[in-house]
Amino acid sequence: MKILFLDQSGKPGGAELCLIDIAKPYRDRAFVGLFADGPFKTLLQQNHIPVEVLTNQAISVQKSSSLLQGLASLKQLIPLIIKVVQIAQDYDVIYANTQKALVIGAIASFFARRPLVYHLHDILSKEHFSQTNRSIAVNLANHFASLVIANSQASQTAFVQAGGRADLTAVVYNGFDSKIYQTCESDVKQLQSELGLAGKFVVGHFSRIAPWKGQHILIDALAKCSEKVTAILVGDALFGEQNYVQQLHKQVADFGLENRVKFLGFRADIPQLMTACNLVAHTSTFAEPFGRVIVEAMLCGTPVVATKAGGAIELVEPGINGFLVKPGEPEELAQVINTCLQETDKISTMANNAKNIAGQRFDVTIINQQIAQLLSSKFHHQISPSLLTNL
Ligand code: UDP
Ligand code: GLC
């Protein structure tokens, strides 16, 4: 099957990292069209996935945009739509991986007469999106998509609650290659000494820096923990949240935590860093659609605490493979950190358990088979038998 993937971002957020794994098996007959240049393009190239940036104009619609703002940007999108329609002639399916990709993909699928798949990586709730954006996404998906792949039951439920057609949807979790998370002990030790973490109890936070990812909650919790506890904040403000970055630095200074909080920026060595941590904290204050970092921590064998909302509830079974705490509650988080500090043996048994469960449940080969089966069951009539065996 020849797939034209579309993604609006030039930066590697979770949806983009997931797309790399999905596109890889199709790379000799797929093409990724991006709506912005950036390091995501380089990552696709490194994985030998054909990619091109289809526009050099920034698309001005935001998650909070109104209908008028949305309509005003439509004119600006026409050259991009024409380009996608032309490219789509050579592909069997258009696969939209983000919301703006859905808008362009839906219109292009109509003109190019190609079926549309929408991979839904978002929770379409009022906390995350304006009413206008939610109804545009749901209406376009309902009318143009043949299949909506939701990254969790939480994302699927929110889609249906926002008016989306349940019969279009299927839930497929992100897949991971567990080998990538098996690190070399000496690399981890070296990293610990480079970062001055040796001998400390390290809590890691691995997310782009954005208010709803809740880095401020971890800093609040740290102020309530033993001085032995240090935090590393890994990730960058990918979508311009510079005010929040300043706010975090001020919070650290106000609490006098400069020696106990390290801002590491965007890193490519996530498995090594996660392994160097004693606990990974996921602190999203709104429901997380899936939460790749939660699974990645499990695959590293590092205990994980996540907030009890959205996809995280499907990933963490409290006491079995991790901890869940109420979103926005630093006290509860501080208690979990202290428990992990005191009960190391019990916690490490739990983390090993989590590693085994996650390795099987999120195996990228199995997840890719689920996607291949969904595509072949929806679109088998358009694929030649030889391609079907190659799925
Ligand atoms: N990540 C990374 N480098 C960083 C911070 C994060 O590569 O410095 C990766 C992280 O390992 C994860 C992804 O970015 O795979 C974030 O995905 P997640 O689903 O957790 O959240 P999103 O940012 O997509 O909402
Ligand atoms: C989005 C979501 C995140 C999810 C990722 C991959 O970026 O915010 O929760 O893990 O997509 O599906």
Side-chain angles (χ1 to χ4, degrees):
M1 183 182 305
K2 292 183 77 182
I3 306 180
L4 168 58
F5 292 98
L6 298 176
D7 192 294
Q8 71 201 47
S9 180
K11 295 176 182 168
E16 287 68 38
L17 295 173
C18 174
L19 180 64
I20 294 176
D21 287 324
I22 292 172
K24 244 193 228 173
Y26 299 92
R27 61 188 160 195
D28 57 348
R29 52 195 188 280
F31 177 83
V32 181
L34 301 182
F35 305 166
D37 206 346
F40 177 40
K41 185 179 86 178
T42 314
L43 279 178
L44 286 159
Q45 287 166 335
Q46 283 165 355
N47 281 282
H48 309 288
I49 299 167
V51 55
E52 201 181 297
V53 178
L54 303 181
T55 175
N56 51 17
Q57 273 203 319
I59 301 175
S60 50
V61 194
Q62 302 302 324
K63 283 183 170 188
S64 54
S65 292
S66 68
L67 187 57
L68 265 182
Q69 287 163 320
L71 287 175
S73 66
L74 255 186
K75 207 172 123 209
Q76 169 206 357
L77 301 180
I78 291 170
L80 176 59
I81 294 169
I82 293 173
K83 206 164 189 179
V84 174
V85 171
Q86 284 165 348
I87 298 171
Q89 304 301 325
D90 291 332
Y91 292 85
D92 301 311
V93 175
I94 300 176
Y95 192 113
N97 198 52
T98 57
Q99 289 234 17
K100 288 174 194 170
L102 169 67
V103 175
I104 305 296
I107 302 171
S109 82
F110 175 77
F111 286 110
R113 296 167 191 263
R114 292 292 182 277
L116 175 73
V117 174
Y118 175 34
H119 198 137
L120 174 63
H121 293 279
D122 293 308
I123 291 203
L124 296 176
S125 66
K126 65 177 187 318
E127 287 81 14
H128 286 283
F129 293 94
S130 68
Q131 169 64 38
T132 308
N133 273 0
R134 276 181 283 152
S135 53
I136 289 175
V138 158
N139 281 308
L140 288 176
N142 282 352
H143 289 104
F144 295 99
S146 306
L147 171 65
V148 176
I149 299 177
N151 66 351
S152 66
Q153 283 163 30
S155 296
Q156 181 195 42
T157 303
F159 174 77
V160 174
Q161 274 171 359
R165 277 173 49 194
D167 62 303
L168 289 178
T169 64
V171 173
V172 180
Y173 291 133
N174 281 215
F176 299 82
D177 178 357
S178 56
K179 283 195 298 298
I180 294 173
Y181 300 89
Q182 285 160 21
T183 53
C184 167
E185 209 180 319
S186 61
D187 289 349
V188 175
K189 286 238 160 69
Q190 193 185 330
L191 198 55
Q192 282 168 327
S193 91
E194 271 167 27
L195 296 172
L197 302 175
K200 297 192 172 150
F201 186 92
V202 184
V203 183
H205 193 291
F206 297 78
S207 279
R208 59 199 160 86
I209 299 197
W212 76 274
K213 291 291 187 178
Q215 280 88 352
H216 60 287
I217 303 292
L218 175 58
I219 298 172
D220 259 350
L222 198 68
K224 301 176 201 304
C225 289
S226 148
E227 295 213 341
K228 288 182 214 152
V229 183
T230 289
I232 56 170
L233 302 184
V234 183
D236 237 341
L238 291 189
F239 305 111
E241 298 91 344
Q242 284 311 323
N243 285 347
Y244 183 59
V245 176
Q246 299 312 321
Q247 202 180 306
L248 292 177
H249 282 283
K250 182 171 181 311
Q251 190 189 4
V252 168
D254 288 350
F255 286 149
L257 293 172
E258 290 92 336
N259 294 330
R260 290 172 57 202
V261 180
K262 289 182 197 301
F263 289 82
L264 301 187
F266 188 88
R267 302 276 300 215
D269 51 352
I270 298 299
Q272 289 73 16
L273 280 167
M274 282 189 173
T275 310
C277 291
N278 300 90
L279 177 69
V280 167
H282 164 271
T283 57
S284 295
T285 55
F286 299 157
E288 181 74 53
F290 175 74
R292 291 175 61 84
V293 293
I294 301 169
V295 177
E296 290 171 323
M298 291 175 177
L299 292 171
C300 290
T302 304
V304 62
V305 53
T307 50
K308 196 174 179 178
I313 299 174
E314 297 159 50
L315 308 180
V316 179
E317 217 181 319
I320 308 290
N321 62 352
F323 298 92
L324 285 177
V325 292
K326 221 168 142 201
E329 289 278 335
E331 287 80 12
E332 218 184 314
L333 178 58
Q335 271 172 24
V336 170
I337 296 174
N338 285 331
T339 306
C340 291
L341 188 60
Q342 282 150 20
E343 300 181 26
T344 42
D345 287 349
K346 195 171 138 201
I347 302 304
S348 94
T349 309
M350 190 172 77
N352 274 331
N353 203 15
K355 186 175 180 169
N356 294 333
I357 301 171
Q360 289 168 19
R361 195 170 170 215
F362 304 103
D363 182 337
V364 70
T365 312
I366 294 171
I367 299 289
N368 278 341
Q369 276 166 9
Q370 289 172 7
I371 293 195
Q373 269 156 16
L374 279 169
L375 295 180
S376 71
S377 67
K378 284 278 173 187
F379 308 123
H380 63 279
H381 56 286
Q382 306 180 21
I383 313 164
S384 69
S386 65
L387 279 176
L388 248 178
T389 52
N390 254 331
L391 265 173

